[in-house]
Amino acid sequence: MIISTKGRYALRLMVDLAEHQKQDYIPLKEIAARQEISEKYLESIIKILVKNGLLEALRGKGGGYRLTRSPQEYSVGHILRLAEGDLASVTCVSEDSSRCTRRADCRLLPMWQKLDSLINGYLDGVTIADLMEEV
């Protein structure tokens, strides 16, 4: 499993919003400048986060984005799954694993399932608040 720039930028975006949450709505332009990420690229990520209720948006003067919950209520795993989709390390444990014809007899499957459980458990245990403290 390799986390793409989309997943990494989604996390940077969420940490930036959390660190600046004392302001009301934060314009995307400011986030893009601070994070040195293309505003256009951040727009595609923000759409996913707004659609799934992690952020709320306000258009017009004084508009921008803000978190809908406190930073400790956002898990890294949830954000990455929204941005990346499935976080499976191998296809045989992915959401579309039913196509594997060897699944019933595979001696490796339990190992892959345990690895995925460890990875997802770890990522689900880390919050945006944790990332704010780890500098």
Side-chain angles (χ1 to χ4, degrees):
M1 165 189 55
I2 294 180
I3 304 296
S4 72
T5 54
K6 190 174 187 180
R8 294 191 314 268
Y9 287 1
L11 291 173
R12 285 173 52 187
L13 168 73
M14 294 295 286
V15 171
D16 188 284
L17 283 167
E19 289 175 338
H20 296 91
Q21 68 181 348
K22 301 222 182 327
Q23 300 174 20
D24 199 17
Y25 287 88
I26 302 168
L28 186 60
K29 187 175 190 173
E30 289 180 19
I31 300 165
R34 279 193 296 266
Q35 294 301 317
E36 299 177 339
I37 301 171
S38 155
E39 198 173 334
K40 190 95 171 146
Y41 195 49
L42 282 179
E43 285 174 2
S44 67
I45 296 169
I46 282 215
K47 284 180 186 176
I48 296 166
L49 300 174
V50 169
K51 178 183 172 191
N52 286 280
L54 277 69
L55 302 177
E56 60 182 4
L58 179 67
R59 292 183 182 264
K61 187 173 172 95
Y65 300 90
R66 68 178 180 190
L67 302 177
T68 57
R69 303 186 294 263
S70 66
Q72 56 269 23
E73 295 180 65
Y74 294 95
S75 82
V76 167
H78 182 69
I79 295 164
L80 287 175
R81 280 187 288 279
L82 288 175
E84 299 283 337
D86 195 355
L87 294 179
S89 55
V90 292
T91 56
C92 54
V93 292
S94 69
E95 294 171 358
D96 192 25
S97 63
S98 60
R99 294 190 314 200
C100 179
T101 58
R102 296 185 39 84
R103 190 170 177 81
D105 300 317
C106 182
R107 294 184 183 272
L108 303 178
L109 184 61
M111 176 190 64
W112 296 128
Q113 288 171 326
K114 186 171 182 178
L115 175 62
D116 271 24
S117 178
L118 290 169
I119 291 169
N120 282 292
Y122 173 73
L123 293 175
D124 288 337
V126 178
T127 67
I128 293 300
D130 296 329
L131 296 178
M132 292 169 64
E133 295 173 10
E134 293 181 12
V135 174

